[in-house]
Amino acid sequence: MRPHPLKPHARSTSPDRAMTPAGEERHVAMRLDDAWLRFQTRRAIRRGRMETVIPYTGYGSTSWVRVLARVVLSDPRDAVPGSDEGRLKPLQDGMRGWRNFTSAPVAHAVVHVTIGDTVHDVEADRGGVVDARIPVNLAAGWHNITLQTGGSRAAEAPVRIVEDGTEFGVVSDIDDTVMVTALPRPFLAAWNTFVLDEHARTPTPGMAVLYERIVRTVPSAPVLYLSTGAWNVAPTLSRFLSRNLYPAGPKLLTDWGPTRDRWFRSGQEHKRLSLERLAEEFPEMKWLLVGDDGQHDEAIYAEFARRHPENVRAIAIRQLSVSEAVLAGGRSKTGVQPTPGIPWIYAPDGAGMSARLEEMGIIEHTVRTADVPEEGDIAGESD
């Protein structure tokens, strides 16, 4: 039994697959996508699939939390036998991307989110993605919350609660920043989606050590990973980050679904909106923005720095090698944009960035040992 009555449910705040208002003409892509989702759902139901919540790492302050998850219809055989959390085999043991990608999402599913002794109802978007902000009263640090929908088993999601007064954090790109993809950008999305094996990815030299030095210098600093990748790659990204000793942190991913006027969502727009949201959520925070010079990160970060100079501590750009730049479609043509008072750092790897950040005082020359959790060390981590 629930200790408190259910709160009125809230809709997902994800912009990528938001509902189309009544009477508004939909793009042909949305009509086709709706037809595909209906086909997926009917087929999944006929095959005995069950509603399952795939939890992702959330974050928040001591007064609110952002809950991230996805609801799909999955094969009951994918549930781990005897697991109270009802985690899926693809999340625990690995699964090829095509199966995760083709799992039917449960549009507008109502998910019961238990935080402490209180249960909140939130509603997924049309793509089954839950992205909801819930008021809470939690201490700073890592917590587990429970998510459940319909007849599904309960699933636990870790959330990072940022300490009040924290003034420094890290926002990091993923592809070609913390991992070397060495793939042409047109094929990158397909690779990330259909080859879900963390062993097939190579960590960028020195970047994990750089991030570890940062969080050991400032233990309260949150690390968020911002990518244009689809939500179905989150389990593999988590395993990759954990295996290569990157600090645990939420991944801000997106959805492949069409919008009201586009065949596919804009990855650049996703990054811009995510940064704007962080500026609103943490108005006192100064972010170290880390990306690469292969196309768009420089322009996106520069635009954000001009709009919110009070929220940017520095911008660190990894310089791609000649071969990586060719595969990425060339280097950004924008160069360093005018951002008065905000330093830019360029280096080919984490060691070069670390030296520059040490000169700036962001990283201490000698840092004390700190109990910094890794992705796989957080109880209930399954994103």
Side-chain angles (χ1 to χ4, degrees):
M1 294 181 63
R2 301 187 178 93
H4 294 284
L6 293 178
K7 304 291 185 182
H9 68 261
R11 292 191 184 278
S12 165
T13 57
S14 172
D16 295 303
R17 279 194 170 187
M19 290 182 62
T20 303
E24 181 175 325
E25 185 178 356
R26 295 180 303 161
H27 189 273
V28 62
M30 289 193 73
R31 296 197 294 270
L32 291 174
D33 190 52
D34 282 341
W36 168 245
L37 292 177
R38 287 194 296 270
F39 169 77
Q40 277 186 300
T41 301
R42 289 195 300 268
R43 184 165 174 263
I45 292 174
R46 286 199 303 269
R47 303 178 92 180
R49 302 300 189 247
M50 66 179 185
E51 286 191 12
T52 303
V53 179
I54 302 175
Y56 304 132
T57 304
Y59 68 90
S61 74
T62 57
S63 61
W64 59 267
V65 64
R66 184 179 181 185
V67 177
L68 300 167
R70 187 167 179 248
V71 186
V72 300
L73 292 172
S74 70
D75 191 327
R77 293 172 298 179
D78 285 335
V80 179
S83 170
D84 292 336
E85 294 85 5
R87 288 179 293 175
L88 300 183
K89 286 181 181 178
L91 302 183
Q92 184 177 41
D93 304 327
M95 173 188 266
R96 289 298 176 187
W98 67 266
R99 192 166 169 188
N100 270 329
F101 186 66
T102 56
S103 295
V106 182
H108 312 302
V110 175
V111 178
H112 311 310
V113 181
T114 304
I115 305 175
D117 294 330
T118 306
V119 179
H120 306 259
D121 273 4
V122 299
E123 183 177 322
D125 67 11
R126 63 189 295 275
V129 175
V130 172
D131 182 351
R133 175 166 163 156
I134 296 176
V136 297
N137 182 14
L138 293 174
W142 286 97
H143 297 266
N144 286 323
I145 63 176
T146 302
L147 300 90
Q148 189 173 19
T149 182
S152 74
R153 299 184 183 183
E156 285 191 341
V159 294
R160 169 68 186 271
I161 301 300
V162 179
E163 184 178 350
D164 292 340
T166 300
E167 297 180 347
F168 178 74
V170 178
V171 174
S172 174
D173 178 44
I174 295 180
D175 290 318
D176 289 324
T177 299
V178 302
M179 68 168 66
V180 179
T181 56
L183 284 170
R185 287 294 167 96
F187 300 111
L188 184 58
W191 172 264
N192 282 339
T193 299
F194 298 114
V195 187
L196 282 186
D197 184 351
E198 67 272 18
H199 296 87
R201 292 157 166 80
T202 303
T204 302
M207 293 301 288
V209 174
L210 167 64
Y211 290 4
E212 181 188 19
R213 291 192 67 191
I214 291 174
V215 298
R216 289 183 184 274
T217 300
V218 189
S220 62
V223 179
L224 285 77
Y225 300 93
L226 175 59
S227 173
T228 59
W231 280 111
N232 67 296
V233 308
T236 299
L237 291 180
S238 288
R239 292 192 297 268
F240 171 87
L241 294 171
S242 176
R243 179 178 294 277
N244 291 286
L245 305 181
Y246 282 96
K251 280 140 304 274
L252 305 180
L253 307 180
T254 184
D255 195 357
W256 272 20
T259 65
R260 298 184 185 96
D261 57 356
R262 296 172 60 96
W263 280 93
F264 297 102
R265 89 293 181 259
S266 167
Q268 297 179 52
E269 188 66 11
H270 163 65
K271 285 191 171 184
R272 291 191 182 97
L273 291 174
S274 295
L275 290 171
E276 288 290 332
R277 176 166 184 164
L278 290 175
E280 179 182 354
E281 292 173 332
F282 301 102
E284 305 301 322
M285 188 83 73
K286 285 184 175 290
W287 298 98
L288 170 65
L289 306 177
V290 188
D292 63 80
D293 64 358
Q295 298 292 311
H296 303 298
D297 284 348
E298 289 173 295
I300 293 171
Y301 289 167
E303 176 187 340
F304 178 74
R306 290 194 297 272
R307 290 173 58 87
H308 302 279
E310 72 283 0
N311 293 123
V312 181
R313 176 65 177 86
I315 298 173
I317 299 296
R318 178 184 175 246
Q319 296 168 306
L320 303 184
S321 67
V322 174
S323 60
E324 289 171 341
V326 170
L327 291 172
R331 299 184 191 277
S332 169
K333 304 299 191 295
T334 61
V336 177
Q337 301 296 304
T339 54
I342 297 173
W344 287 68
I345 297 168
Y346 283 85
D349 53 30
M353 288 186 184
S354 184
R356 293 293 309 279
L357 292 173
E358 188 175 311
E359 293 173 2
M360 296 170 54
I362 293 178
I363 298 177
E364 294 180 3
H365 177 67
T366 302
V367 296
R368 65 180 177 81
T369 300
D371 184 15
V372 180
E374 295 173 6
E375 197 86 9
D377 292 338
I378 304 170
E381 170 70 32
S382 57
D383 108 342

